[in-house]
mmCIF file with all atom_site columns, all heavy atoms in Angstrom:
data_model
loop_
_atom_site.group_PDB
_atom_site.id
_atom_site.type_symbol
_atom_site.label_atom_id
_atom_site.label_alt_id
_atom_site.label_comp_id
_atom_site.label_asym_id
_atom_site.label_entity_id
_atom_site.label_seq_id
_atom_site.pdbx_PDB_ins_code
_atom_site.Cartn_x
_atom_site.Cartn_y
_atom_site.Cartn_z
_atom_site.occupancy
_atom_site.B_iso_or_equiv
_atom_site.pdbx_formal_charge
_atom_site.auth_seq_id
_atom_site.auth_comp_id
_atom_site.auth_asym_id
_atom_site.auth_atom_id
_atom_site.pdbx_PDB_model_num
ATOM 1   N N   . PRO A 1 35 ? 179.152 97.468  -26.025 1.00 89.00 ? 35 PRO A N   1
ATOM 2   C CA  . PRO A 1 35 ? 179.929 98.681  -25.787 1.00 89.00 ? 35 PRO A CA  1
ATOM 3   C C   . PRO A 1 35 ? 179.228 99.573  -24.765 1.00 89.00 ? 35 PRO A C   1
ATOM 4   O O   . PRO A 1 35 ? 178.016 99.469  -24.548 1.00 89.00 ? 35 PRO A O   1
ATOM 5   C CB  . PRO A 1 35 ? 179.973 99.354  -27.149 1.00 89.00 ? 35 PRO A CB  1
ATOM 6   C CG  . PRO A 1 35 ? 178.721 98.930  -27.816 1.00 89.00 ? 35 PRO A CG  1
ATOM 7   C CD  . PRO A 1 35 ? 178.443 97.532  -27.305 1.00 89.00 ? 35 PRO A CD  1
ATOM 8   N N   . MET A 1 36 ? 179.981 100.466 -24.161 1.00 83.00 ? 36 MET A N   1
ATOM 9   C CA  . MET A 1 36 ? 179.422 101.373 -23.165 1.00 83.00 ? 36 MET A CA  1
ATOM 10  C C   . MET A 1 36 ? 178.715 102.551 -23.816 1.00 83.00 ? 36 MET A C   1
ATOM 11  O O   . MET A 1 36 ? 177.885 103.195 -23.208 1.00 83.00 ? 36 MET A O   1
ATOM 12  C CB  . MET A 1 36 ? 180.529 101.893 -22.253 1.00 83.00 ? 36 MET A CB  1
ATOM 13  C CG  . MET A 1 36 ? 181.110 100.813 -21.368 1.00 83.00 ? 36 MET A CG  1
ATOM 14  S SD  . MET A 1 36 ? 182.389 101.414 -20.269 1.00 83.00 ? 36 MET A SD  1
ATOM 15  C CE  . MET A 1 36 ? 181.502 102.596 -19.298 1.00 83.00 ? 36 MET A CE  1
ATOM 16  N N   . LYS A 1 37 ? 179.035 102.825 -25.066 1.00 82.00 ? 37 LYS A N   1
ATOM 17  C CA  . LYS A 1 37 ? 178.475 103.997 -25.739 1.00 82.00 ? 37 LYS A CA  1
ATOM 18  C C   . LYS A 1 37 ? 178.341 103.709 -27.234 1.00 82.00 ? 37 LYS A C   1
ATOM 19  O O   . LYS A 1 37 ? 179.203 103.059 -27.816 1.00 82.00 ? 37 LYS A O   1
ATOM 20  C CB  . LYS A 1 37 ? 179.421 105.173 -25.513 1.00 82.00 ? 37 LYS A CB  1
ATOM 21  C CG  . LYS A 1 37 ? 179.015 106.465 -26.141 1.00 82.00 ? 37 LYS A CG  1
ATOM 22  C CD  . LYS A 1 37 ? 179.974 107.559 -25.658 1.00 82.00 ? 37 LYS A CD  1
ATOM 23  C CE  . LYS A 1 37 ? 180.496 108.369 -26.776 1.00 82.00 ? 37 LYS A CE  1
ATOM 24  N NZ  . LYS A 1 37 ? 181.395 109.421 -26.360 1.00 82.00 ? 37 LYS A NZ  1
ATOM 25  N N   . TYR A 1 38 ? 177.249 104.177 -27.815 1.00 79.00 ? 38 TYR A N   1
ATOM 26  C CA  . TYR A 1 38 ? 177.051 104.102 -29.262 1.00 79.00 ? 38 TYR A CA  1
ATOM 27  C C   . TYR A 1 38 ? 176.895 105.512 -29.800 1.00 79.00 ? 38 TYR A C   1
ATOM 28  O O   . TYR A 1 38 ? 176.185 106.336 -29.218 1.00 79.00 ? 38 TYR A O   1
ATOM 29  C CB  . TYR A 1 38 ? 175.758 103.356 -29.616 1.00 79.00 ? 38 TYR A CB  1
ATOM 30  C CG  . TYR A 1 38 ? 175.897 101.861 -29.768 1.00 79.00 ? 38 TYR A CG  1
ATOM 31  C CD1 . TYR A 1 38 ? 175.182 100.996 -28.963 1.00 79.00 ? 38 TYR A CD1 1
ATOM 32  C CD2 . TYR A 1 38 ? 176.712 101.320 -30.743 1.00 79.00 ? 38 TYR A CD2 1
ATOM 33  C CE1 . TYR A 1 38 ? 175.280 99.635  -29.105 1.00 79.00 ? 38 TYR A CE1 1
ATOM 34  C CE2 . TYR A 1 38 ? 176.820 99.956  -30.890 1.00 79.00 ? 38 TYR A CE2 1
ATOM 35  C CZ  . TYR A 1 38 ? 176.108 99.119  -30.076 1.00 79.00 ? 38 TYR A CZ  1
ATOM 36  O OH  . TYR A 1 38 ? 176.213 97.768  -30.221 1.00 79.00 ? 38 TYR A OH  1
ATOM 37  N N   . ASN A 1 39 ? 177.531 105.815 -30.905 1.00 81.00 ? 39 ASN A N   1
ATOM 38  C CA  . ASN A 1 39 ? 177.274 107.026 -31.667 1.00 81.00 ? 39 ASN A CA  1
ATOM 39  C C   . ASN A 1 39 ? 176.658 106.571 -32.977 1.00 81.00 ? 39 ASN A C   1
ATOM 40  O O   . ASN A 1 39 ? 177.303 105.873 -33.762 1.00 81.00 ? 39 ASN A O   1
ATOM 41  C CB  . ASN A 1 39 ? 178.568 107.801 -31.950 1.00 81.00 ? 39 ASN A CB  1
ATOM 42  C CG  . ASN A 1 39 ? 179.160 108.410 -30.700 1.00 81.00 ? 39 ASN A CG  1
ATOM 43  O OD1 . ASN A 1 39 ? 178.442 108.944 -29.881 1.00 81.00 ? 39 ASN A OD1 1
ATOM 44  N ND2 . ASN A 1 39 ? 180.464 108.308 -30.563 1.00 81.00 ? 39 ASN A ND2 1
ATOM 45  N N   . LEU A 1 40 ? 175.412 106.937 -33.201 1.00 80.00 ? 40 LEU A N   1
ATOM 46  C CA  . LEU A 1 40 ? 174.689 106.461 -34.380 1.00 80.00 ? 40 LEU A CA  1
ATOM 47  C C   . LEU A 1 40 ? 174.208 107.630 -35.226 1.00 80.00 ? 40 LEU A C   1
ATOM 48  O O   . LEU A 1 40 ? 173.777 108.650 -34.699 1.00 80.00 ? 40 LEU A O   1
ATOM 49  C CB  . LEU A 1 40 ? 173.461 105.643 -33.967 1.00 80.00 ? 40 LEU A CB  1
ATOM 50  C CG  . LEU A 1 40 ? 173.698 104.402 -33.134 1.00 80.00 ? 40 LEU A CG  1
ATOM 51  C CD1 . LEU A 1 40 ? 172.369 103.827 -32.676 1.00 80.00 ? 40 LEU A CD1 1
ATOM 52  C CD2 . LEU A 1 40 ? 174.475 103.383 -33.928 1.00 80.00 ? 40 LEU A CD2 1
ATOM 53  N N   . THR A 1 41 ? 174.285 107.454 -36.515 1.00 81.00 ? 41 THR A N   1
ATOM 54  C CA  . THR A 1 41 ? 173.646 108.376 -37.446 1.00 81.00 ? 41 THR A CA  1
ATOM 55  C C   . THR A 1 41 ? 172.500 107.593 -38.077 1.00 81.00 ? 41 THR A C   1
ATOM 56  O O   . THR A 1 41 ? 172.723 106.546 -38.679 1.00 81.00 ? 41 THR A O   1
ATOM 57  C CB  . THR A 1 41 ? 174.636 108.856 -38.526 1.00 81.00 ? 41 THR A CB  1
ATOM 58  O OG1 . THR A 1 41 ? 175.742 109.488 -37.883 1.00 81.00 ? 41 THR A OG1 1
ATOM 59  C CG2 . THR A 1 41 ? 173.972 109.825 -39.475 1.00 81.00 ? 41 THR A CG2 1
ATOM 60  N N   . VAL A 1 42 ? 171.291 108.087 -37.889 1.00 83.00 ? 42 VAL A N   1
ATOM 61  C CA  . VAL A 1 42 ? 170.115 107.373 -38.383 1.00 83.00 ? 42 VAL A CA  1
ATOM 62  C C   . VAL A 1 42 ? 169.271 108.299 -39.239 1.00 83.00 ? 42 VAL A C   1
ATOM 63  O O   . VAL A 1 42 ? 169.347 109.518 -39.140 1.00 83.00 ? 42 VAL A O   1
ATOM 64  C CB  . VAL A 1 42 ? 169.269 106.824 -37.210 1.00 83.00 ? 42 VAL A CB  1
ATOM 65  C CG1 . VAL A 1 42 ? 170.070 105.850 -36.381 1.00 83.00 ? 42 VAL A CG1 1
ATOM 66  C CG2 . VAL A 1 42 ? 168.733 107.937 -36.354 1.00 83.00 ? 42 VAL A CG2 1
ATOM 67  N N   . ARG A 1 43 ? 168.474 107.696 -40.087 1.00 87.00 ? 43 ARG A N   1
ATOM 68  C CA  . ARG A 1 43 ? 167.522 108.449 -40.907 1.00 87.00 ? 43 ARG A CA  1
ATOM 69  C C   . ARG A 1 43 ? 166.170 108.414 -40.212 1.00 87.00 ? 43 ARG A C   1
ATOM 70  O O   . ARG A 1 43 ? 165.750 107.363 -39.739 1.00 87.00 ? 43 ARG A O   1
ATOM 71  C CB  . ARG A 1 43 ? 167.415 107.838 -42.290 1.00 87.00 ? 43 ARG A CB  1
ATOM 72  C CG  . ARG A 1 43 ? 168.690 107.918 -43.096 1.00 87.00 ? 43 ARG A CG  1
ATOM 73  C CD  . ARG A 1 43 ? 168.440 107.343 -44.496 1.00 87.00 ? 43 ARG A CD  1
ATOM 74  N NE  . ARG A 1 43 ? 169.645 107.233 -45.252 1.00 87.00 ? 43 ARG A NE  1
ATOM 75  C CZ  . ARG A 1 43 ? 170.234 108.235 -45.905 1.00 87.00 ? 43 ARG A CZ  1
ATOM 76  N NH1 . ARG A 1 43 ? 169.701 109.430 -45.873 1.00 87.00 ? 43 ARG A NH1 1
ATOM 77  N NH2 . ARG A 1 43 ? 171.348 108.041 -46.576 1.00 87.00 ? 43 ARG A NH2 1
ATOM 78  N N   . PRO A 1 44 ? 165.499 109.546 -40.144 1.00 88.00 ? 44 PRO A N   1
ATOM 79  C CA  . PRO A 1 44 ? 164.186 109.579 -39.492 1.00 88.00 ? 44 PRO A CA  1
ATOM 80  C C   . PRO A 1 44 ? 163.241 108.534 -40.087 1.00 88.00 ? 44 PRO A C   1
ATOM 81  O O   . PRO A 1 44 ? 163.186 108.346 -41.299 1.00 88.00 ? 44 PRO A O   1
ATOM 82  C CB  . PRO A 1 44 ? 163.691 110.996 -39.772 1.00 88.00 ? 44 PRO A CB  1
ATOM 83  C CG  . PRO A 1 44 ? 164.932 111.796 -39.981 1.00 88.00 ? 44 PRO A CG  1
ATOM 84  C CD  . PRO A 1 44 ? 165.905 110.851 -40.645 1.00 88.00 ? 44 PRO A CD  1
ATOM 85  N N   . GLY A 1 45 ? 162.548 107.831 -39.207 1.00 90.00 ? 45 GLY A N   1
ATOM 86  C CA  . GLY A 1 45 ? 161.579 106.833 -39.631 1.00 90.00 ? 45 GLY A CA  1
ATOM 87  C C   . GLY A 1 45 ? 162.165 105.471 -39.955 1.00 90.00 ? 45 GLY A C   1
ATOM 88  O O   . GLY A 1 45 ? 161.419 104.518 -40.168 1.00 90.00 ? 45 GLY A O   1
ATOM 89  N N   . GLU A 1 46 ? 163.500 105.344 -40.026 1.00 92.00 ? 46 GLU A N   1
ATOM 90  C CA  . GLU A 1 46 ? 164.138 104.056 -40.333 1.00 92.00 ? 46 GLU A CA  1
ATOM 91  C C   . GLU A 1 46 ? 164.720 103.456 -39.057 1.00 92.00 ? 46 GLU A C   1
ATOM 92  O O   . GLU A 1 46 ? 165.610 104.051 -38.442 1.00 92.00 ? 46 GLU A O   1
ATOM 93  C CB  . GLU A 1 46 ? 165.251 104.246 -41.367 1.00 92.00 ? 46 GLU A CB  1
ATOM 94  C CG  . GLU A 1 46 ? 164.742 104.684 -42.725 1.00 92.00 ? 46 GLU A CG  1
ATOM 95  C CD  . GLU A 1 46 ? 165.868 104.853 -43.746 1.00 92.00 ? 46 GLU A CD  1
ATOM 96  O OE1 . GLU A 1 46 ? 167.002 104.399 -43.489 1.00 92.00 ? 46 GLU A OE1 1
ATOM 97  O OE2 . GLU A 1 46 ? 165.595 105.452 -44.803 1.00 92.00 ? 46 GLU A OE2 1
ATOM 98  N N   . PRO A 1 47 ? 164.248 102.279 -38.654 1.00 94.00 ? 47 PRO A N   1
ATOM 99  C CA  . PRO A 1 47 ? 164.749 101.671 -37.414 1.00 94.00 ? 47 PRO A CA  1
ATOM 100 C C   . PRO A 1 47 ? 166.212 101.249 -37.531 1.00 94.00 ? 47 PRO A C   1
ATOM 101 O O   . PRO A 1 47 ? 166.672 100.835 -38.591 1.00 94.00 ? 47 PRO A O   1
ATOM 102 C CB  . PRO A 1 47 ? 163.848 100.467 -37.199 1.00 94.00 ? 47 PRO A CB  1
ATOM 103 C CG  . PRO A 1 47 ? 163.154 100.232 -38.480 1.00 94.00 ? 47 PRO A CG  1
ATOM 104 C CD  . PRO A 1 47 ? 163.221 101.481 -39.289 1.00 94.00 ? 47 PRO A CD  1
#
Side-chain angles (χ1 to χ4, degrees):
M36 292 181 62
K37 180 173 131 179
Y38 271 120
N39 291 318
L40 300 173
T41 302
V42 299
R43 295 183 187 279
E46 294 181 13

